[in-house]
Amino acid sequence: MKRVHISWDSPDKGTSWEELADRLNNQLQALCIVNIKRHARVVWEKIGEEAFHLSTNLCPAHRSVVLDTVCNRLLNKQPVQLIATQCIEAGVDVDFPVVYRAYAPLEAIIQAAGRCNREGRQNKPGKVHVFQPLIESNENEFPDPGYRQAAQVTKMLFRRHGADKMHLDNPDFITAYYHELYDISRPEAMNRTKVY
């Protein structure tokens, strides 16, 4: 994780899709990972047709073509913005200098950080920005209840400890996340204070 610098927006301050698109358009090469396909499509449409979209809405052959094109643009230092769902987080070898990741379960954020300065070839650390999408109160933010619950634990840890303690390379922090996640269904465990 020393090859990346991670910044955390407050989960209580939402980023609009327009603001996110502006931030992405200000980067030569950037990856943005959101939690659901509908959000990926909205961000992709806000950026415009020059951006690339990757989700399970595409068939496997089309996803492969998109990834090949994106990887070639990355290697040749050409402009490329990729908007994706979590389908990019496991088993995909991309190396972006900048990654934006919507709040998610901690393991998903760690996977997203693995797509930033992956090869360690940059002269400076890559940048990972964790952000909270600004969405309607009645809109689904996550693909399923279990994913939502794990993401809420990530947000709770931020609220409790702040960005200064959200270190993805600290085993004690990761252990605290999993203790919170697995203790959440046990009411007697909720009164315990965890220190890391």
Side-chain angles (χ1 to χ4, degrees):
M1 284 304 172
K2 300 301 182 193
R3 68 186 194 289
V4 298
H5 176 269
I6 301 177
S7 62
W8 299 79
D9 290 350
S10 169
D12 302 314
K13 180 185 176 287
T15 299
S16 71
W17 299 128
E18 292 79 10
E19 181 184 349
L20 180 61
D22 287 343
R23 292 164 88 179
L24 292 167
N25 277 326
N26 286 327
Q27 304 293 331
L28 179 67
Q29 297 179 327
L31 168 63
C32 177
I33 306 172
V34 293
N35 294 314
I36 59 176
K37 294 182 276 189
R38 186 174 68 257
H39 291 167
R41 182 156 183 93
V42 168
V43 176
W44 177 66
E45 289 173 348
K46 296 279 183 201
I47 292 176
E49 291 183 12
E50 65 276 6
F52 293 88
H53 169 257
L54 189 72
S55 76
T56 56
N57 276 346
L58 305 176
C59 70
H62 192 183
R63 288 197 301 265
S64 183
V65 169
V66 169
L67 283 171
D68 287 345
T69 304
V70 166
C71 288
N72 284 332
R73 294 182 75 87
L74 286 167
L75 284 173
N76 293 313
K77 309 273 190 235
Q78 295 174 306
V80 59
Q81 285 84 25
L82 175 61
I83 315 307
T85 59
Q86 60 266 29
C87 69
I88 193 138
E89 290 175 341
V92 179
D93 188 11
V94 292
D95 186 2
F96 281 86
V98 177
V99 173
Y100 286 83
R101 181 56 169 103
Y103 265 93
L106 189 64
E107 60 272 19
I109 294 170
I110 292 170
Q111 285 287 348
R115 305 300 169 260
C116 185
N117 196 17
R118 185 177 182 84
E119 307 292 330
R121 290 187 228 163
Q122 296 183 59
N123 295 333
K124 56 185 179 180
K127 295 179 182 175
V128 177
H129 304 276
V130 181
F131 68 96
Q132 173 60 47
L134 183 63
I135 58 171
E136 300 293 326
S137 59
N138 61 346
E139 183 181 2
N140 283 335
E141 183 180 352
F142 304 106
D144 60 62
Y147 199 91
R148 179 179 60 245
Q149 185 176 49
Q152 296 298 350
V153 170
T154 304
K155 292 178 183 184
M156 180 202 59
L157 288 172
F158 179 93
R159 290 181 184 112
R160 185 183 298 162
H161 301 291
D164 293 342
K165 298 238 179 168
M166 303 285 280
H167 299 290
L168 301 185
D169 60 348
N170 180 344
D172 293 334
F173 171 67
I174 295 168
T175 299
Y177 164 80
Y178 281 108
H179 277 297
E180 293 285 351
L181 181 61
Y182 293 118
D183 286 350
I184 212 158
S185 62
R186 293 178 30 220
E188 72 278 5
M190 296 304 285
N191 294 327
R192 282 204 317 245
T193 303
K194 295 194 174 39
V195 178
Y196 59 91

